[in-house]
Amino acid sequence: MAEAFPNGGIMGERVRTHDWAATPLGAAETWPQSLRTALSIMLSSAFPTYLAWGPELTSFYNDAYIPIMGDKPNGLGQPFPEVWSEVWDTIGPITHRAMQGEASYFEDLPLTLMRHGHPEATWFSFSYSPIGDETGGVGGVLCTVHETTERVRAEAALRESENKLAAILEQLPVGVGLVDQEGNITLSNRILQQYALDKVPSRDPIQGERWRGYTPDGQRLSPSDYPSARALRGETVVPGIDFLVTLPNGQEIWTRVSAAPFRNTAQEGLGAVFVVQVVEREKRTEQALRESRARLQAAIDLVGLSPYTWNPITGALDWDAQLKAMWGLAPDAPVDHEVWLSGIHPEDRPRV
């Protein structure tokens, strides 16, 4: 027996010392070569592998499979249905098909196991393969297994987190998007989706024609200075920049865009998050105010008036250069109530 299975780690040693004469397989010296070959391959594998042999499905497994057993009793030499009785209603039919010559593969199959003293939700990817024997029939089943429980749970937690984030974003009164390092928008709320963006304008020439960014003094920005481009370069917080946007229906509106880098817990750059806020009313009001001031200034210049403002509570005065010149003051001279009165003849001050 030792010569047949010289290696195999912990389970190899258990196979060599097990009392096989007390099992349906009988003494190891009587085993067929097909079983010996399958067992040798299984014990030498670094992949979790289970072997069930004969009509009674006597069990073997390798060292890599031990963690899957948890705190179950040693299943070596035991019938497969007894070792995994809690899930036999699921894996029993699969095993039966394998014993009939049909191989099967499953990915992330959910199974509730009893291996740590309580029901445990688990997931596995595995294949069941029939093993031929010397008679030309099927002598047993080889099951290669990969437990995916941690990955499935992590993906479920990630989906839950993303769903919560998406729900929060939908409640915001502004458009919010998350972009990767290439500028592709990977997450957006409904408000942002109305702009029909797949990629940020700084990385998409077509979108760059629809989104025109401007400085506070009205100068056109280069796409490399757009908030998303700056955030993707690692700038911590990019303040709001005004964009005149042409919507898919041809309408033009003013928006304000700000951005910040998006990093993981190791502070590695994953992309950027950006916010789009409609400032159409604000921009139109600013434009109307500028036009109103221009008309007022034109009227003042036409008639030669010098208006000023005075706050009677604080005494603050606001004079233009022409009025300051009338008082004999420099254009940058400060003005207050006392300065104003000092320019009036003392006899006229009570009346003024």
Side-chain angles (χ1 to χ4, degrees), residues 261-277:
F262 180 66
R263 300 186 176 96
N264 59 19
T265 54
Q267 294 303 302
E268 298 168 331
L270 302 179
V273 60
F274 67 99
V275 176
V276 178
Q277 178 183 8

Side-chain angles (χ1 to χ4, degrees), residues 19 40 348:
D19 181 13
S40 178
D348 289 336

